[in-house]
């Protein structure tokens, strides 16, 4: 039984490491040493019924499987501060082309997570070379052990199973909807077990009357936050009739806009637009497990992401969203989307028709392209967009999703135009942002050559943070981002304005709808965001549910993610 005890202790230690990565030096992390025991004991207890090599094989096999899961959690914790969702593991399309990004999250010392397996392997090999049995074999009874001993083992396992399940049930009653506290209350392994159970029970849920009323009441209460303030009333309808191009700029952080490390502008194109742009500079990234797809759900559908998993993967066929493409369709637009990566990435090929896009062009249907990073180069994306625009009637709407500034921020040396002294993550990131910014400038030049720029609006939004989400802390040397992403509306010929209302990505849709002049009655009770043109705050709530100081409607925002879970899991919007 020494082997079982050794592996159990090692798995508890690994669980603590994962919790520490998520919560930092929080005293609550110590509780994982207790909360991890029931599920780990439950996983290992079948070994009590086995003998000799069978027991060894089972225990080491369980150690390998759980260790790999905890290792995946560790990488996810570094990337997003959350455990890896089992839903993502079950959907390969969420990981297409992500190999280099996963490698970027690894550290050399991660091998220590498998130290127990290395030690056990070394001991077993050493014993075999000496013609002896590993030390944990010595206490194992032979095949002629008395029957009563076998019965005792069965009873022991039964007691362990009952005790562990009872303890885990108590843990479930103590946990909350806070995903970080859940790691403490249930342990990483327990959180996965609970997620698996809820997926079996709640997928395609049917809301009861009380739940339907809660969702409906929340949306009705949120409808009050769509009135423009007198200060910004002149902006209502400023985009009416214009061609609109929404550029979802991969990993773009607010702190990158206007940054000039070592005297070099990172985003000279965007900087040159600011005097003719509406600049919303206090917009929080609100993505969760779904990363870029969550960003699209927030900004295109006006809905908060799920607590676990990605809505694009779990519920790709949900219909009825009051989406930006559908709203623009009522104004005569024919919405299209372009992405310089595979069409199936994040299930976009299935989701986009439900969002109201009439056409979706992935890299498979680009006329030409050069592989770069996660997909094709961003210059190829904008070139293809111009070709599509040539065939479209006004007013035009295109949603363009870039990729070159995606983790791990690898750009060939000949394309690096910034002279930065280091090769750290932030420096590499800035090189890719600078590249995409230049490609964006070429896109604007192409519109101008066609005589279309003056009748257009180019909206630049970040889908989530970059180095502040993914890079090691010692490689994050640009301070002051505070979880923000840019939301910039470039309107050639119009006077610019900086609007510092605190809000989130969820507010992009209602703000753009108001700028286009769409009557709020068409969307006020179907989206979860607020206009950033109002006298009230926007939806200033973090992905972890923390409401920023000074936000209006605090109770409303505190419930937002819970309501979104109910609405998405039941396809409430289609009802």
């Amino acid at each position: 039984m020494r082997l079982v005890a050794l592996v159990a202790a090692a798995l508890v230690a690994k669980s603590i490491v994962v919790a520490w990565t998520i919560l930092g030096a929080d005293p609550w992390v110590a509780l994982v040493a207790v909360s991890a025991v029931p599920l780990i004991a439950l996983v290992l207890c079948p070994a009590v019924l086995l003998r000799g090599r069978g027991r060894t094989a089972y225990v080491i096999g369980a150690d390998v499987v759980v260790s790999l899961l905890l290792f995946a959690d560790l990488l996810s914790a570094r990337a997003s501060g959350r455990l890896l969702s089992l839903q993502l593991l079950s959907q390969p399309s969420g990981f297409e082309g992500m190999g280099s990004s996963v490698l970027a999250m690894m550290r050399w010392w991660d091998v220590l997570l498998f130290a127990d397996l290395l030690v056990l392997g070394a001991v077993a090999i050493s014993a075999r070379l000496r013609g002896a049995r590993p030390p944990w074999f010595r206490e194992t009874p032979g095949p002629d052990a008395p029957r009563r001993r076998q019965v005792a083992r069965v009873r022991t396992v039964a007691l362990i199973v009952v005790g562990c399940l009872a303890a885990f049930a108590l843990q479930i009653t103590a946990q909350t909807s806070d995903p970080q506290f859940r790691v403490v209350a249930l342990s990483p392994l327990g959180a996965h077990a609970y997620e698996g159970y809820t997926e079996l029970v709640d997928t395609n849920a049917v809301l009861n009357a009380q739940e339907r009323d809660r969702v409906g009441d929340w949306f009705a209460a949120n409808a009050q936050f769509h009135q423009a303030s007198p200060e910004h009333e002149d902006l209502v309808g400023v985009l009416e009739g214009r061609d609109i191009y929404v550029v979802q700029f991969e990993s773009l952080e607010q702190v990158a806009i206007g940054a000039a490390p070592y005297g070099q502008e990172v985003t000279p194109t965007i900087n040159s637009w600011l005097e003719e742009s509406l600049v919303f500079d206090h917009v929080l990234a609100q993505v969760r497990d779904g990363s870029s797809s969550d960003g699209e759900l927030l900004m295109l559908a006006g809905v908060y992401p799920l607590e676990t998993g990605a809505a694009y993967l779990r519920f790709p066929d949900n219909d009825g969203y009051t989406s930006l493409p559908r709203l623009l369709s009522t104004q005569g637009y024919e919405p299209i989307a372009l992405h310089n990566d595979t069409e199936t990435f994040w299930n976009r090929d299935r989701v986009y028709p439900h969002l109201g896009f009439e056409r979706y062009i992935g890299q498979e249907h680009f006329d030409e392209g050069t592989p770069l990073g996660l997909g094709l180069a961003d210059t190829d994306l904008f070139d293809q967009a111009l070709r599509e625009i040539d065939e479209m009637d006004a007013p035009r709407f295109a949603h363009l999703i870039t990729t070159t500034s995606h983790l791990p921020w690898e750009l060939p040396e000949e394309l690096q135009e910034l002279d930065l002294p280091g090769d750290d993550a932030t420096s590499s990131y800035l090189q890719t942002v600078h590249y995409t910014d230049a490609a964006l400038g070429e896109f604007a030049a192409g519109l101008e050559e066609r005589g279309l720029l003056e009748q257009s609006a180019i909206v630049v939004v970040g889908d989530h943070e970059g180095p502040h989400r993914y890079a090691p802390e010692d490689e994050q040397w640009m301070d002051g981002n505070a979880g923000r992403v840019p939301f910039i509306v470039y309107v050639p010929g119009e006077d610019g304005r900086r609007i510092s209302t605190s809000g989130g990505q969820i507010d992009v849709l209602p703000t753009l709808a108001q700028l286009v002049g769409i009557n709020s009655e068409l969307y006020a009770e179907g989206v979860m965001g607020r206009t950033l043109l109002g006298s009230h705050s926007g939806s200033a709530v973090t992905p972890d549910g923390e409401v920023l100081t000074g936000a209006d409607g605090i109770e409303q925002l505190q419930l937002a993610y819970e309501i979104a879970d109910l609405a998405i899991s039941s396809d409430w919007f289609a009802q």
Side-chain angles (χ1 to χ4, degrees), residues 438-460:
L440 186 55
E442 293 173 9
F443 173 67
L447 292 176
E448 189 169 24
E449 290 173 6
R450 291 163 170 77
L452 298 177
L453 185 61
E454 292 301 314
Q455 69 184 56
S456 300
I458 301 177
V459 182
V460 179

Side-chain angles (χ1 to χ4, degrees), residues 318-348:
N318 274 15
D319 212 347
Y321 292 120
T322 306
S323 65
L324 183 63
R326 281 180 168 155
L327 290 171
L328 291 175
S329 293
T330 67
Q331 310 300 305
Y333 291 83
E334 296 181 6
I336 70 167
L338 293 94
H339 185 31
N340 48 333
D341 197 0
T342 178
E343 290 182 352
T344 59
F345 194 29
W346 285 119
N347 270 347
R348 287 186 175 100

Side-chain angles (χ1 to χ4, degrees), residues 161-197:
V161 170
V162 172
C164 289
L165 291 177
F168 189 59
L170 289 175
Q171 289 175 254
I172 290 175
T173 62
Q175 60 96 22
T176 70
S177 60
D178 183 341
Q180 290 191 329
F181 184 76
R182 181 172 294 163
V183 175
V184 172
L186 301 183
S187 80
L189 191 59
H192 287 308
Y194 182 73
E195 179 192 357
Y197 167 76

Side-chain angles (χ1 to χ4, degrees), residues 1-244:
M1 300 301 291
R2 279 179 284 179
L3 175 62
V4 177
L6 173 64
V7 170
L11 292 178
V12 169
K14 296 173 189 181
S15 299
I16 294 173
V17 170
V18 171
W20 179 83
T21 304
I22 293 174
L23 297 172
D26 191 312
W28 287 104
V29 170
L31 287 180
V32 177
V34 177
S35 64
V37 171
L39 263 293
I40 290 174
L42 193 63
V43 169
L44 295 178
C45 71
V48 176
L49 300 175
L50 303 173
R51 297 197 300 264
R53 290 187 177 86
R55 174 181 293 176
T56 301
Y58 178 85
V59 172
I60 293 179
D63 192 1
V64 169
V65 172
V66 176
S67 295
L68 287 173
L69 179 58
L70 292 174
F71 178 55
D73 282 334
L74 187 65
L75 299 182
S76 178
R78 287 177 183 150
S80 62
R82 297 163 62 85
L83 296 176
L84 180 67
S85 169
L86 295 181
Q87 270 291 333
L88 295 184
L89 285 175
S90 67
Q91 296 283 346
S93 64
F95 292 94
E96 291 177 9
M98 296 288 286
S100 58
S101 298
V102 173
L103 288 174
M105 289 294 99
M106 295 182 183
R107 308 288 180 264
W108 67 265
W109 55 84
D110 290 343
V111 69
L112 296 177
L113 204 68
F114 301 93
D116 59 320
L117 288 165
L118 296 175
V119 170
L120 291 175
V123 171
I125 292 172
S126 175
R128 186 175 183 84
L129 291 176
R130 290 184 286 106
R133 288 184 171 185
W136 52 81
F137 270 57
R138 294 173 186 168
E139 62 180 47
T140 303
D144 298 325
R147 177 177 175 79
R148 61 177 178 276
R149 189 170 295 183
Q150 300 297 333
V151 172
R153 288 197 191 96
V154 173
R155 289 174 178 171
T156 300
V157 169
L159 287 173
I160 292 174
V161 170
V162 172
C164 289
L165 291 177
F168 189 59
L170 289 175
Q171 289 175 254
I172 290 175
T173 62
Q175 60 96 22
T176 70
S177 60
D178 183 341
Q180 290 191 329
F181 184 76
R182 181 172 294 163
V183 175
V184 172
L186 301 183
S187 80
L189 191 59
H192 287 308
Y194 182 73
E195 179 192 357
Y197 167 76
T198 55
E199 289 305 313
L200 290 174
V201 173
D202 292 338
T203 300
N204 300 318
V206 176
L207 302 185
N208 59 40
Q210 183 180 7
E211 289 171 330
R212 287 197 301 272
D213 288 344
R214 284 190 66 206
V215 174
D217 291 346
W218 191 97
F219 276 90
N222 194 62
Q224 66 181 298
F225 296 106
H226 294 288
Q227 182 67 39
S229 69
E231 179 185 5
H232 301 310
E233 224 168 28
D234 60 311
L235 296 178
V236 176
V238 71
L239 302 185
E240 185 175 358
R242 283 182 177 261
D243 296 339
I244 299 173

Side-chain angles (χ1 to χ4, degrees), residues 259-327:
Y262 303 95
Q264 303 162 96
E265 285 186 288
V266 176
T267 57
T269 295
I270 295 176
N271 295 347
S272 69
W273 293 350
L274 297 182
E275 290 187 359
E276 297 177 279
S277 297
L278 305 177
V279 180
F280 301 91
D281 58 4
H282 277 71
V283 175
L284 292 173
Q286 295 171 315
V287 302
R288 287 185 161 183
D289 291 340
S291 192
S292 297
S293 70
D294 279 354
E296 293 175 20
L297 184 75
L298 285 153
M299 297 183 289
L300 293 178
V303 180
Y304 289 95
L306 292 167
E307 182 182 319
T308 58
Y312 273 30
L313 300 182
R314 290 180 57 187
F315 305 102
D317 298 317
N318 274 15
D319 212 347
Y321 292 120
T322 306
S323 65
L324 183 63
R326 281 180 168 155
L327 290 171

